[in-house]
Amino acid sequence: MSTIKKVVLAYSGGLDTSVILKWIKKTYACEVVTVTCDLGQEEELDGLEDKALRTGATKAYIDDLREEFAKDFIFPMLRAGAVYEGRYLLGTSIARPLIAKRLVEVARAEGAQAVAHGATGKGNDQVRFELTTGVLAPDLRTIAPWREWDFASRTDLLNFAKENGIPVPSDKKGSDHSMDRNLLHLSFEGGELEDPWNEPSADTYLLTVPIEKAPDEPEVITIDFEHGDPVAVDGEKLSPAALVKKLNTLGGRHGIGRIDMVENRFVGMKSRGIYETPGGTILHVAHRDLEGICLDREVMHLRDSLIPKYAEMVYNGFWYAPERVALQAMIDQAQERVTGTVRLKLYKGQAYPLGRKSPNSLYNPKLATFEKDEVYNQADATGFIRLVGLRLRGLGVK
Amino acid sequence: MSTIKKVVLAYSGGLDTSVILKWIKKTYACEVVTVTCDLGQEEELDGLEDKALRTGATKAYIDDLREEFAKDFIFPMLRAGAVYEGRYLLGTSIARPLIAKRLVEVARAEGAQAVAHGATGKGNDQVRFELTTGVLAPDLRTIAPWREWDFASRTDLLNFAKENGIPVPSDKKGSDHSMDRNLLHLSFEGGELEDPWNEPSADTYLLTVPIEKAPDEPEVITIDFEHGDPVAVDGEKLSPAALVKKLNTLGGRHGIGRIDMVENRFVGMKSRGIYETPGGTILHVAHRDLEGICLDREVMHLRDSLIPKYAEMVYNGFWYAPERVALQAMIDQAQERVTGTVRLKLYKGQAYPLGRKSPNSLYNPKLATFEKDEVYNQADATGFIRLVGLRLRGLGVK
Amino acid sequence: MSTIKKVVLAYSGGLDTSVILKWIKKTYACEVVTVTCDLGQEEELDGLEDKALRTGATKAYIDDLREEFAKDFIFPMLRAGAVYEGRYLLGTSIARPLIAKRLVEVARAEGAQAVAHGATGKGNDQVRFELTTGVLAPDLRTIAPWREWDFASRTDLLNFAKENGIPVPSDKKGSDHSMDRNLLHLSFEGGELEDPWNEPSADTYLLTVPIEKAPDEPEVITIDFEHGDPVAVDGEKLSPAALVKKLNTLGGRHGIGRIDMVENRFVGMKSRGIYETPGGTILHVAHRDLEGICLDREVMHLRDSLIPKYAEMVYNGFWYAPERVALQAMIDQAQERVTGTVRLKLYKGQAYPLGRKSPNSLYNPKLATFEKDEVYNQADATGFIRLVGLRLRGLGVK
Amino acid sequence: MSTIKKVVLAYSGGLDTSVILKWIKKTYACEVVTVTCDLGQEEELDGLEDKALRTGATKAYIDDLREEFAKDFIFPMLRAGAVYEGRYLLGTSIARPLIAKRLVEVARAEGAQAVAHGATGKGNDQVRFELTTGVLAPDLRTIAPWREWDFASRTDLLNFAKENGIPVPSDKKGSDHSMDRNLLHLSFEGGELEDPWNEPSADTYLLTVPIEKAPDEPEVITIDFEHGDPVAVDGEKLSPAALVKKLNTLGGRHGIGRIDMVENRFVGMKSRGIYETPGGTILHVAHRDLEGICLDREVMHLRDSLIPKYAEMVYNGFWYAPERVALQAMIDQAQERVTGTVRLKLYKGQAYPLGRKSPNSLYNPKLATFEKDEVYNQADATGFIRLVGLRLRGLGVK
């Protein structure tokens, strides 16, 4: 342990990472540099630098990574159509590799020997952080206090905080959920949600209004895509982060993007989660819809068969793993064609496609029509069916 | 052609199959026996026998296959979680093999040499019919008049009808869609839908109310499943068909299960379809939700990676193909555990799970909690992450 | 630790498991019951009971599991066509679950609280043992001495042996390989093989002659299969284990079934292995060849796409995991048809199919011939190609 | 038909394509331009131009495409590790798209309206030709005389030849096989092979000696790869085609690369084929072996799961289809690392790897050794196994 002289800590300014900051300094007798990444969690970052320094940090980085997050993490995942276990849009999972990458960058700049994070020993986030630092900087050590310290309960933690002059926030209005928020989503776990038969209380959600309070008037929007990435809303070009944020506002207003599910963690247990992904849901729906006219059938089916695998990679923390990078190469090659516009109706919890168009459309109205055409000869179908079915007829013969 | 003495025709009583009946008799100089399958299309079947006989049939079968349809076709597909191209729940596709199977049964009973159907030469249905008859009765010939006759336009068809005393219905209130309806769904194609940028007119849908007109009060229901099959709604045991029908009513009232998409047909072109699957959507959502607590993670991920393949098999008409049967064996083995209850809120177009429980639940609240437990040792995560990441650290070393 | 009163140990009678026996007794102050499974390793088992008791065991089981091994482990894997990373036929992997299952059975019969094995902390075997005991008996503890004790080197181990009166065998003629042998195969690792550029020395192999010494006369045999399982060689019905053993003799004589490869271990590193699988190789080749006439194309392609997954499950130790069981259900359903006979030539390291026949053959010489036939209408190909290529022509249009 | 004024025909100079040349001229009353592609079939091309002109061609192209064939077709397929149905290395399949591409190029240069080929209506080649021309030049018509003309037998064809002054070769020494040869392989079908129980006669093979006649001395060679492509044999840099040719010589001398199998054609029937792929087999073995040290485990397993799909694409003729192109993007991205050298022993029908090395090797002898090391902590395995098995223990609890 004596070799660790400087540690770079992912720091939120909350109770847990404040305790961790202090605990690392004490335990490892080393310097701590904090890094706070703005990924759109919409928390007050003013004053965080002061707070970190006051709690004992040597230096405190505050980095606005929202555009990088949207462009290099959310968008590639959107191009892949990633959904975990049929529903989860991976809002927490996709943020972790970026934070870990930033920890590594700062560790290199600061000459640190270790990075540290505040993820517990039962969750996926510890894996996502440490797989990323492992591939980007295998020589750096990782400190995961939740797996190392002796605190046996929340009370122990609070006692340590008090003893070390760390301000303990009074309890938030009764909520005992664990939350994670960023530009893409907000998640809830724990508390009364631990019984999967329980309905979450009405005040659980933050990004989306309940459908009961959504406007009675639908809103119709268009989203433009280029090569699989969204670039404009209602014709207005927006930066990646600004675009996601705008769709969060629109989607939230209409109650779009809530999910309640029991999912399988990489560390082996099932866990119940509540997710709000308003903008991400709209984008997912619109992107899939546009693919309907732009993507070749077999390309889509091949890609679709790999979505569970891709989503698993992201969920499990293998963003920088070579298998994700290789698979992304296939996906991105195929997404070259996915350029065009989708018109959607946002209303009462749903983003519903009304129309789609594309300069690369493979939809041919002449082929689709029931009327005679010059492109398609119906007699061809006879031969097609006979040869496609040849092996089946062979099976049918006794 | 002289060898064809008797033909069994899938007959709806509409203009097209009436023309076909007459055309086959004339062209093949043979007897025609008609078969009308009640798959829940909710059309008047009284009088159909008379009509068929009057149009020239020797004999007319009217068969209520709704329970068989639900139990042996819809439910196995539900157990598989089948979705085509991310959205379509395969309502039309799954009906065709049953109709074709019934044609074969009647052909055997009647000693017919051929079966006939009214599907056009540009669609998927012809393939689904003929692959099924090919595997079940490879010796039977198939007559597909749409690919054989010389009618160059709808007008030719109407002229033939008039010349042959077939009553031509006056145009339905301006709609020029092609529709297909059964217990599972209603589909629309054609007409103004042929431009994928066009929104369907408000009066297109029949099974579901527009969300604008859905009740302002949500409805909460429970669905019980046994081994992957739904068996009860709100605790009331129902036969397969009755259960689907009840959920159609509930879902329709709340505007649930509309889809608007451009899909890829097996015969090679893209096609725009509108679907209403109220009960099927509720079942799909509830089943997936229950799997969250009943299915092992790796079983689910393996199955999920095969859903596109399974859905493709159903969509393309390979229901009786050995690859579908083999895959179903895997799915059904895994579904043994999927027994339990899901509570859902039906509201404004959505079926939203509120809770789920199961005697086979693999969810362990002790493992999920953030508090200390005896089952899970957080220190295990250190070794887990290190070995899972070993190959990545090796890649990271330069 | 005080709760462990009796431990069931997988015992080979060699130095390592003898040391382990003693070490467990000392460390846990408990009874040790040994289990030695005869899986065809062709080692002297006479005297092993005495040896175990003399080394301190309370009781020593010696079980002949060769028929169970062949029938319930090797054959299901053969039906799946399992090959790991393109080459390895999984001879070691498939044995571990059976040994672990036997440990659990004895632990139950003996009322033990733990099982123990002699696998090291760097290999796959520890995982295979412990995943199996975990699923079959989650309440049983596992003792893995190689991960627990403080011996820092081989010398420490030898010292412990001497101090505790365990006879240390004099070095085997210079070989420093680690070996594993059973009915299916023999594997070598370690020693000079650790440099993957090194060729193994000529005397490494035991089951197969070098091709240089194989007979100059080929041997032609037939193997009969029923539902995917081999049942006879040259027309002589044989029990599963006897059949594999006979093919080992035949294959070994002709130098068949050597593999030299670098593979990826589940615990994360690459490892170089040398394998001899004479009978297994012949069976694998013959089975695949028979499938050529018995299996439907799409069933085979679906199964083939899952072989890497299945092989990974076996290699990683997930034999009793629900995903392997589910996948096996699909495979076994499809193997129902795989009944027939393959004629092979064994010669100079190769098992080469000369002919195959089956009552379930889907091969139709009428279809295969270049001459005219009544089954196949060449004109059908025109329509087939046009529709199969429709989407491609659409892509080609600029 | 009157619109076809010029046709570009794939011409070999043999009886069939000579008849076709004449038949097209007569039937379509048009010009015929011939194209003969040298893909390494080792046939006399001198005099072919004259022969084509004499038989009625307006112009005759003779193109040496061997380097393009090796570099842009064989090598990408090698990088993918493609094997069809577990055995076939796709030697015929991979040649067709290149010939078809050349037909299109010449058709464009010559202003032709159609291309023509001599593939029959029962095989895969017609599909491979026409899918390629379909995607590259959807406006071009295809003439496939075997599907169009009225010749009912071989005799009719010979009669047409005689009537039209086309020299008919006297029968080759009794062989009635259909053969296809190019740089990558030689295939045989038909004749006595149509009974899959029959062994091919000893004189069937052309590229490889029977093992009985292979040298008694093994030959040890090295092959160097860069980014997945072979670049040198025994240290000597060779062009792609020269390299394959050299390995054909070496492999043929040692009897390497024979396959006898029943395979599934895309047009629906099973067919028995004999293949000789001497150089291709050596390359396939060497490439797979090098991947053992260069490729990450998960990348390899992901790729392996897609080999059947990729091979199917090539076999079925979808080389220029977007799904093959997309999948190739993934494969090529992953192959970047596959650089190094493999040492192989060629002997008695086998190419057996003796050693492999690479500047990108991921093999770490420190990790593989049984001795203590600093990289790997055996205690990590405990946590790894516990978490990997957590879901299984949960299943095991009753």
Side-chain angles (χ1 to χ4, degrees), chain A residues 3 64 67 110 170 260 270 290 297 349 371:
Chain A
T3 60
D64 182 350
E67 289 297 344
E110 295 287 334
S170 56
D260 176 340
K270 287 180 181 291
L290 183 59
R297 180 184 72 198
E371 299 301 314

Side-chain angles (χ1 to χ4, degrees), chain C residues 386 389-390 392-398, chain D residues 8 97 100-109 112-115 129-143 320:
Chain C
R386 283 195 64 81
L390 188 58
L392 301 181
R393 293 200 304 281
L395 280 162
V397 176
K398 304 305 170 204
Chain D
V8 174
K101 165 174 166 275
R102 186 65 191 135
L103 289 181
V104 168
E105 288 165 357
V106 172
R108 294 313 195 200
Q113 293 78 38
V115 293
F129 279 124
E130 297 177 35
L131 292 182
T132 300
T133 56
V135 69
L136 296 182
D139 57 300
L140 279 184
R141 288 193 48 186
T142 295
I143 297 172
Y320 284 104

Side-chain angles (χ1 to χ4, degrees), chain C residues 122 295 301 312 363 373, chain D residues 122 194 270 301 312 373:
Chain C
K122 296 181 104 176
L295 275 192
H301 293 197
E312 198 180 86
Y363 177 86
D373 69 77
Chain D
K122 295 182 104 177
E194 288 186 4
K270 288 179 181 292
H301 293 197
E312 198 180 86
D373 69 77

